[in-house]
Amino acid sequence: MKLLKYAAAFALTAQIATAQEPQTGGTLRLIAQPEPPMLMLGLNQQGPTQFVAGKIYEGLLRYGPDLSAMPGLAEAWEVSEDGLTYTFDLQDDVTWHDGEPFTSDDVVFSLSEFLPEVHPRARGVLERVKEISAPDDNTVKITLNESFPAFLQSFEVSSTPMIPAHLYRDTDYRANPANDTPVGTGPFKLDEWQRGSFIRLVRNDDYWQDGKPYLDEIVFNIVPDAASRAVAFETGEVDVLRGGDVEYFDVQRLAALPDTEVTNAGWEFLSPIIWVQFNLRNEPMNDPRFRKAVWHAIDRDFIANAIWMGFADPADGPLPANSPYHADNLPAADYDPEKSRALLDEMGLTPDDNGVRVTVRYLSLPYSETYIRMGEYVRQQLREVGIELDVTQTDVGGWAQTLGQWDYDLTMNLLYQYGDPALGVERAYVSSNLVQGSPSANVSGLDNPEIDRLLSEAASATSDEKRKELYQAFQQKVVEEAYFAYLVRVNFPTVYHTRVRNLVDSAIGLNDTMADVWIAR
């Protein structure tokens, strides 16, 4: 069998070259907003968990800004000419935070036992695996049932985090005591978590990359409101603000401070799209006329420009405009309240004396003031056409639990793309992912055999032209049926002090390990 060998060393060398004489020591101070519900990345993949736990756990690969694969826990990889067999060579002398060696057995356990049971996004990928074996302690061989071109992009840390087999094998994964004291292979270890106050990670002195990490510790402060977070940056109490940490109208003011930089880099892999999500199991959300009425009642340009202050673009479908598979001729979801009212009239939903046609439950997305403001805007717009929202406010954990139990009518959600529709998009649409209990599964209840077929064939098609044709048919179908009301694609800005170096060097940005980050003094 002919093998295509990928040279990993070049990417790693290029990454190191950007470091520019790094200095060791110091504390990087960040904000965890909102506070993550837990740090066991295998069990929870919400944004706050990815951000903090991405320094504790690692995946086999990392990805550059152009989405090309770079070494992670695998130093090299080979793909057979038929695209069915992937062989990974693991890094030498890697240990877990408790001192046990990381071996190919951990990879086999993670990919064949742990993740298929608990990780809805990984499950969809790993269902395509025919066989996984470990010829020796440093080699893993994976054979697929059929071609799956996106497979090499499925080894980012939140997609397939490596889990210690010696702590989790033959246990109840969700009740394992190790969930409270996460053990990974990453450059930082959990030292202290005072809920509501801070999370402190400290340097892993036994990290497998010699001399790294450069920082002594990373502290994630829990700061309750955006104004206080802005003040914390202005006074030097924190070094970095992630997108959403402060109000977007405050970004330009903060960017003008001395020794301050702003970048939109580091979101290439995730490319998040925000949508209004319907529970298609419930009336009247199961009627496409109602869903279209919701979409036509909302001005996406207003959201992009007035709420996100230009750090977002209107979204017209499930794929962002910069995706190679994006369809340019989708039906327009124009802002037209009169069209909304006409659709609701057609459904027989007539206004009462207060102008209310129907009341539905709205589960508020609690990620930041901006999402809450978006929710208030949507509530106001829907009220204008006669749809009243009964709002439920929760914390992040409560939102995820309620969503995962399908106990909602409408909510707002944020879908990460993960580099390829087969990885980040498909999971929200296919009937095989109708799994109750996880907010990352198909929680809307969408069950359409034609969509299942289009996504399945697109995922395994070897011709890029054929994939584009199938994904465009998929986009036409979901927009015509208005299964979701797509709002905006966001471009999160990161604001940081210039003394922080190498802050963003991959396609997942601040969610990555930060092994190469250092502070100039």
Side-chain angles (χ1 to χ4, degrees):
M1 180 182 297
K2 181 180 178 181
L3 298 175
L4 304 178
K5 184 74 174 181
Y6 286 80
F10 175 78
L12 186 59
T13 301
Q15 178 184 333
I16 293 170
T18 63
Q20 299 176 353
E21 301 179 7
Q23 301 172 19
T24 59
T27 300
L28 182 67
R29 293 160 299 180
L30 304 162
I31 288 173
Q33 158 50 42
E35 187 170 15
M38 67 185 308
L39 294 179
M40 206 299 172
L41 190 53
L43 294 174
N44 184 286
Q45 297 84 46
Q46 289 180 264
T49 302
Q50 290 190 34
F51 176 42
V52 178
K55 289 83 186 135
I56 298 172
Y57 293 94
E58 293 181 294
L60 292 183
L61 300 176
R62 300 173 64 231
Y63 299 89
D66 62 353
L67 306 187
S68 60
M70 302 192 300
L73 285 172
E75 63 176 358
W77 52 97
E78 299 172 342
V79 184
S80 64
E81 194 174 50
D82 61 6
L84 294 180
T85 301
Y86 294 71
T87 303
F88 294 92
D89 299 331
L90 306 182
Q91 304 281 358
D92 293 324
D93 301 324
V94 178
T95 58
W96 295 100
H97 291 165
D98 61 3
E100 291 295 314
F102 165 77
T103 72
S104 55
D105 181 57
D106 294 300
V107 181
V108 173
F109 168 74
S110 301
L111 300 182
S112 63
E113 297 182 47
F114 186 95
L115 296 174
E117 179 173 328
V118 302
H119 194 308
R121 184 154 44 84
R123 182 185 303 119
V125 173
L126 297 171
E127 284 175 348
R128 304 171 188 276
V129 173
K130 178 181 180 181
E131 183 179 19
I132 176 169
S133 61
D136 57 53
D137 282 350
N138 272 52
T139 307
V140 175
K141 181 175 290 188
I142 303 171
T143 302
L144 305 182
N145 287 310
E146 60 180 354
S147 174
F148 184 50
F151 192 61
L152 199 62
Q153 289 184 298
S154 59
F155 295 98
E156 167 265 344
V157 60
S158 79
S159 302
T160 48
M162 292 297 106
I163 308 300
H166 67 281
L167 294 178
Y168 281 90
R169 179 170 277 146
D170 299 325
T171 73
D172 180 347
Y173 303 151
R174 296 175 179 83
N176 193 307
N179 296 338
D180 296 327
T181 54
V183 173
T185 61
F188 294 94
K189 304 187 292 187
L190 176 63
D191 178 61
E192 186 178 9
W193 185 354
Q194 289 194 12
R195 291 188 181 270
S197 183
F198 67 86
I199 303 169
R200 177 185 290 116
L201 308 184
V202 297
R203 186 178 195 275
N204 174 13
D205 291 327
D206 298 317
Y207 190 51
W208 54 271
Q209 291 195 58
D210 291 339
K212 298 180 183 178
Y214 299 119
L215 299 168
D216 286 336
E217 60 179 9
I218 302 176
V219 176
F220 299 87
N221 294 291
I222 315 298
V223 183
D225 67 273
S228 297
R229 294 191 286 270
V231 170
F233 183 80
E234 292 177 84
T235 58
E237 294 176 42
V238 300
D239 306 296
V240 179
L241 295 171
R242 269 197 323 161
D245 281 352
V246 296
E247 298 280 12
Y248 287 91
F249 58 72
D250 228 1
V251 171
Q252 294 301 335
R253 181 182 68 81
L254 295 170
L257 294 174
D259 302 317
T260 301
E261 295 282 350
V262 179
T263 179
N264 288 337
W267 289 92
E268 296 84 359
F269 201 77
L270 302 180
S271 294
I273 287 181
I274 300 175
W275 60 32
V276 171
Q277 182 153 334
F278 304 97
N279 188 340
L280 303 172
R281 305 168 185 83
N282 300 343
E283 295 181 348
M285 283 65 64
N286 60 351
D287 191 322
R289 293 172 295 179
F290 178 81
R291 302 193 296 266
K292 291 177 182 176
V294 169
W295 207 351
H296 286 302
I298 300 171
D299 186 346
R300 294 171 296 150
D301 288 315
F302 178 86
I303 292 175
N305 297 319
I307 297 179
W308 286 88
M309 305 302 291
F311 290 105
D313 304 304
D316 59 357
L319 302 185
N322 62 348
S323 167
Y325 306 113
H326 177 261
D328 296 325
N329 58 343
L330 295 172
D334 50 312
Y335 171 53
D336 191 339
E338 284 306 314
K339 191 178 293 184
S340 291
R341 294 186 184 95
L343 286 164
L344 296 170
D345 286 342
E346 185 180 317
M347 292 177 65
L349 296 173
T350 55
D352 63 13
D353 293 342
N354 296 316
V356 177
R357 300 169 184 265
V358 62
T359 299
V360 296
R361 298 172 300 161
Y362 176 76
L363 178 62
S364 181
L365 181 63
Y367 273 23
S368 74
E369 285 84 347
T370 302
Y371 293 102
I372 294 171
R373 188 171 297 114
M374 282 182 70
E376 285 300 317
Y377 169 74
V378 169
R379 183 184 190 184
Q380 176 184 329
Q381 292 302 106
L382 295 187
R383 183 177 289 162
E384 290 291 321
V385 298
I387 301 172
E388 186 70 24
L389 298 187
D390 180 11
V391 179
T392 298
Q393 302 275 7
T394 68
D395 59 13
V396 172
W399 175 82
Q401 182 176 21
T402 306
L403 188 65
Q405 291 302 320
W406 309 340
D407 189 18
Y408 74 103
D409 292 328
L410 294 181
T411 188
M412 194 171 292
N413 207 341
L414 184 75
L415 190 75
Y416 290 159
Q417 305 286 306
Y418 291 99
D420 191 286
L423 301 176
V425 176
E426 177 182 303
R427 61 196 165 108
Y429 296 85
V430 292
S431 60
S432 59
N433 210 22
L434 285 164
V435 180
Q436 195 166 17
S438 170
S440 301
N442 174 358
V443 293
S444 67
L446 177 54
D447 187 355
N448 185 314
E450 177 63 5
I451 288 178
D452 287 348
R453 182 189 69 79
L454 289 169
L455 289 174
S456 175
E457 292 182 9
S460 58
T462 54
S463 159
D464 213 45
E465 184 177 344
K466 184 63 176 177
R467 295 192 81 201
K468 187 170 185 176
E469 174 188 327
L470 291 163
Y471 279 129
Q472 294 197 346
F474 154 72
Q475 291 167 80
Q476 289 285 349
K477 183 70 175 176
V478 296
V479 171
E480 286 172 3
E481 295 292 332
Y483 287 124
F484 301 84
Y486 304 100
L487 300 180
V488 292
R489 174 186 179 272
V490 293
N491 307 297
F492 290 120
T494 297
V495 183
Y496 63 101
H497 196 284
T498 53
R499 62 175 171 268
V500 182
R501 307 295 174 84
N502 280 355
L503 183 63
V504 176
D505 65 352
S506 76
I508 63 169
L510 300 188
N511 286 355
D512 216 330
T513 66
M514 294 194 174
D516 290 284
V517 177
W518 57 281
I519 297 176
R521 291 185 292 277

